[in-house]
Amino acid sequence: MTDSAGGTGEPRRAAADLAAWGRLAGLAGRAPSANLASLLRDSARCRALRCAAGGTLFDFSRQHVDLEVLGALLELAEERRWKARREALFAGEAVNTSEGAAALHTALRAPAADQPEAAAQVVPATRQRLMAFAESVRDGRRTGHSGRAFQRVVHIGIGGSQLGPELVTEALLSADCPLTIRFVANIDGHAIADALADADPETTLFIVVSKSFTTLETLANAATARNWLLERTNQREAVATQFVAVTARTETAAAWGLRPENIFPLWHWVGGRFSLWSAVGAPVALGLGEAGFAALLDGALAMDRHFREAPAEANAPLLAALIDIWNINFLGIANHAVLPYDHRLRRLPVYLQQLKTESNGKSTRHDGSGTGVHTVPIIWGGEGTTGQHAFHQMLHQGTRAFTADFILTGADGHQPPRPELADHHRWLLANGLGQSQAMALGWQHEDPHRAAPGNHGTNTFVLDRLDARSLGALLAFYEHRVFCQGLIWDINSFDQWGVEFGKGLAKILFDQLGDAPELADTAPVHATPGPDAATHALVSHLREINGKGGRQ
Ligand code: F6P
C-alpha cells in the first residue's frame, strides 16, 4: 500500500535530512567544484556520464559532476528507495496522494498483459476504437454531414490536452497527410478565428479534448465552433457528425451534444500532462496514422523498460534527475533551458514547461509540510540555431548561472532524401555542438569585452533520427526524469492545485468587465482580501476603453 508519504513503507524524511544529502552538501562546500575543462579531461568520468536508451545518446559529461558527487547522488536515490517507488508508479498505486489516485500513463503504452487491471479493462478497447476512427477519417469512410471527406481537423484543448498532441503532430506530420490539423487552445478569439478563417463547414472535424470538460477556454472555444458550424450548415446533424470528444466526463460531454460513439474516454488515473498516449493523442493518430501512433507508444514503452531495467548508474531518467538535483539544490542554479537543435522540435520547450513545472512547481511535501529545499527551476528555451540570435549572448557573457539540455538529431530526416539540404543539417549540428562546447569551455581574449568564462554545465541528447519512436522515447524520458525529481524532493508530481485559484478570480473579473453599471466591490475570493486598488484601476481603465459605464 502507498502510505500518506506517497511511497511504500515508512513515512519519508525531508530531503535535507537524508544522509546522502548531507554528504552532497559537504562536497558542494569544498573548494569551488573543478571547472569543466579539467573534468572533461577525465575520459573514464566522461564514459560514466554517458548512456543510451530509446535510440538516443544521453551525454551528461559536461556537468559539474565528478565521480565522488555521482556516487553520492546515487546514494541519495537508494536512500529514497527509488526502485520501490518506481514500481509503485507502474503498479498503479496512489502516488498522486492529494487526490488519492494512481498515475498510470505508463499503462497506456504497455502491452495489455502488463497493464494493471484498471487499465487493462479499458485501454486496449479505447485504443482500438481510436485507431478505427482515425483510419476511417484518413481514408474517407468517415465523412462530414454532407458526405464529403474531412480535410481539416480542429483540435480544441489546452495544457496537457493540447501541448503533447501539438508537439508530436507538428514535429512528424508528413507532407502527404490528407488532413490539415489546427490547434486551438487560448480563449483569445483570434485563436479560434484563425483556425476557422478558411475552413469548410462540410469538411471540418472538431475534436474537443478536456479531461474535466469544465475548462473555460476549451468550452468557450467548443461553443464558438459549434455555433460556427450550425450557422453555416443549419443542420444539428452536423454537430453530431463532425464533433468528437476526449474526456473523463462522458455524461457531461453527452449533455453538451456529443453522440456516445463519438466520445473517447479518459480516466482519473491519467494526468493531463501525461495523457498524450491516450485518445488525447487523436491528432497524432489522424496525422500519422495507426503505424505512427503505435511507433510513438513503442518508443515510450522502450524508455519505460530502460527505466525499469537499467541499473541506476546507467539509467538515463534517474541520472538526469539526480544531476538536476545537484545543479538546483547544491550549485544553486535556478533556471534550465531546453535547446532543441531541430526545427521540428520547436514546441518541445513549451511542452516541457508544463510537464516539468506543473508537476514539480511545488513547495509542499506529500505530508503537507514544507519541502525546505528548492524544487523545479524556471524552464525556458527555444530552438537552435534561432536562439543564438536571441538569447545566447546572455548565456555566454551574462552574469546568470544556468543549465541546459541540447537536443540534436543525427539524421536530417528528409523523406525522400534532399541532398541539396545536407549542408543545412550539418551546419545545424555544428552549431549545436559548438554552442555547448563554448558554454562549457568559454574562450579567452585579451579584450574583456570579447572573452567568455564558460564553465556552464549542459546535457547533450543525440537522437539517431527524429521519428515517432525516438520522440516517444524522449518524452517518456522526461516524464520519468520529472518523477525521479519529485521522489527525491518528496513532492506530489501529479496534482496541480496551484492552477485552480486563478480561475475563480477570472470569473469575478469577467463580470466586472461586462455591462454591470457599477464596478461593485466584490466579495473576497478564497478568503483573500477583495480586489486590490491596482486591479480596480485597471478594470476601470479597460471598461472605459471598451465603453462600459460605471465608476472610474
Ligand atoms: O493547467 C491546468 C490543467 O488542469 C492541466 O493540468 C490540464 O492539462 C489542463 O488544465 C486542461 O485541463 P482539461 O483537460 O480538464 O481541460
Side-chain angles (χ1 to χ4, degrees):
M1 261 312 278
T2 298
D3 62 15
S4 63
T8 52
E10 75 293 349
R12 295 202 292 207
R13 285 176 289 157
D17 295 340
L18 298 169
W21 195 277
R23 187 168 164 223
L24 286 161
L27 291 171
R30 65 190 173 183
S33 54
N35 72 24
L36 282 174
S38 58
L39 289 172
L40 287 166
R41 282 195 283 273
D42 178 344
S43 51
R45 169 199 166 275
C46 290
R47 275 195 306 276
L49 286 167
R50 283 192 199 107
C51 62
T56 294
L57 170 67
F58 295 90
D59 186 341
F60 305 106
S61 63
R62 286 197 183 122
Q63 290 284 4
H64 287 282
V65 171
D66 60 21
L67 294 182
E68 198 175 2
V69 168
L70 179 60
L73 288 171
L74 291 169
E75 279 175 26
L76 182 65
E78 293 307 322
E79 201 170 350
R80 270 299 192 221
R81 302 176 63 242
W82 75 281
K83 290 176 190 162
R85 294 205 164 64
R86 176 194 65 198
E87 291 314 302
L89 173 78
F90 279 85
E93 304 212 7
V95 293
N96 177 353
T97 47
S98 72
E99 297 178 295
L104 272 174
H105 42 285
T106 52
L108 298 171
R109 59 239 189 179
D114 296 344
Q115 295 170 12
E117 184 56 30
Q121 287 171 355
V122 289
V123 168
T126 303
R127 189 177 319 139
Q128 206 164 11
R129 276 187 59 208
L130 175 68
M131 290 305 126
F133 162 75
E135 289 306 315
S136 69
V137 169
R138 287 168 58 86
D139 66 22
R141 281 175 290 130
R142 172 88 184 239
T143 68
H145 71 285
S146 64
R148 291 172 57 199
F150 288 115
Q151 293 169 345
R152 173 173 305 204
V153 175
V154 176
H155 177 105
I156 299 175
I158 196 166
S161 294
Q162 159 231 352
L163 291 168
E166 190 169 31
L167 161 63
V168 177
T169 309
E170 290 218 347
L172 299 175
L173 194 66
S174 56
D176 64 353
C177 175
L179 298 165
T180 299
I181 301 178
R182 302 289 294 270
F183 290 84
V184 178
N186 200 324
I187 197 163
D188 181 337
H190 289 286
I192 187 83
D194 286 353
L196 298 179
D198 53 352
D200 180 332
E202 293 189 11
T203 61
T204 299
L205 170 68
F206 294 94
I207 309 180
V208 181
V209 181
S210 177
K211 180 178 176 184
S212 63
F213 222 82
T214 59
T215 302
L216 167 71
E217 295 93 334
T218 303
L219 295 185
N221 282 320
T224 297
R226 178 174 56 187
N227 295 338
W228 176 88
L229 190 60
L230 286 172
E231 285 159 12
R232 285 159 183 76
T233 62
N234 200 21
Q235 300 246 1
R236 302 205 67 77
E237 176 60 18
V239 174
T241 310
Q242 297 175 218
F243 271 80
V244 300
V246 182
T247 183
R249 300 281 178 79
T250 50
E251 320 76 53
T252 312
W256 190 87
L258 287 142
R259 282 192 181 139
E261 65 270 23
N262 288 341
I263 301 172
F264 295 94
L266 199 50
W267 306 283
H268 69 280
W269 34 264
V270 176
R273 54 193 174 271
F274 298 90
S275 63
L276 166 66
W277 325 97
S278 70
V280 168
V284 178
L286 287 162
L288 278 63
E290 184 166 6
F293 193 76
L296 184 80
L297 297 180
D298 282 349
L301 176 60
M303 185 56 69
D304 292 347
R305 287 179 169 154
H306 167 79
F307 182 43
R308 297 183 84 177
E309 295 164 7
E313 64 275 11
N315 196 297
L318 178 68
L319 285 176
L322 292 173
I323 293 169
D324 290 337
I325 299 282
W326 174 249
N327 285 325
I328 296 159
N329 296 109
F330 297 96
L331 302 188
I333 297 174
N335 77 90
H336 180 86
V338 178
L339 307 174
Y341 270 71
D342 191 308
H343 180 62
R344 295 166 292 172
L345 292 179
R346 59 194 177 279
R347 291 190 176 277
L348 183 63
V350 68
Y351 169 84
L352 291 178
Q353 280 179 328
Q354 188 202 20
L355 180 64
K356 288 170 168 262
T357 66
E358 197 166 271
S359 297
N360 289 344
K362 316 280 172 67
S363 55
T364 306
R365 298 171 54 203
H366 285 283
D367 66 6
S369 63
T371 56
V373 296
H374 278 304
T375 53
V376 75
I378 306 290
I379 304 294
W380 63 287
E383 66 178 290
T385 58
T386 316
Q388 295 172 209
H389 304 270
F391 49 78
H392 281 221
Q393 163 60 39
M394 171 192 69
L395 298 180
H396 289 300
Q397 295 187 322
T399 60
R400 299 289 183 180
F402 65 91
T403 59
D405 287 354
F406 280 84
I407 295 128
L408 281 61
T409 52
D412 65 19
H414 292 296
Q415 293 298 342
R418 300 281 300 273
E420 79 280 14
L421 297 178
D423 281 358
H424 286 254
H425 194 68
R426 194 169 151 200
W427 277 118
L428 181 68
L429 295 176
N431 274 278
L433 293 174
Q435 290 294 308
S436 52
Q437 178 182 322
M439 287 175 194
L441 304 180
W443 64 86
Q444 311 298 322
H445 198 287
E446 66 273 4
D447 176 353
H449 295 292
R450 298 167 186 268
N455 215 30
H456 294 291
T458 62
N459 300 317
T460 299
F461 306 147
V462 183
L463 285 71
D464 296 343
R465 67 189 55 71
L466 179 62
D467 55 25
R469 184 179 172 81
S470 63
L471 184 52
L474 183 70
L475 299 184
F477 157 79
Y478 276 107
E479 288 178 340
H480 296 319
R481 179 177 180 180
V482 159
F483 170 73
C484 290
Q485 286 180 350
L487 76 83
I488 299 290
W489 288 322
D490 193 33
I491 59 178
N492 180 353
S493 300
F494 300 107
D495 62 7
Q496 54 283 324
W497 296 107
V499 293
E500 297 312 316
F501 177 67
K503 296 176 184 176
L505 285 178
K507 179 70 183 73
I508 290 171
L509 291 161
F510 177 83
D511 294 341
Q512 291 194 353
L513 289 168
D515 295 327
E518 270 295 300
L519 177 50
D521 282 328
T522 52
V525 178
H526 290 295
T528 57
D532 59 284
T535 303
H536 247 286
L538 291 168
V539 170
S540 298
H541 182 62
L542 288 166
R543 283 166 62 89
E544 196 176 328
I545 291 173
N546 290 301
K548 304 293 180 188
R551 180 156 44 96
Q552 298 314 317

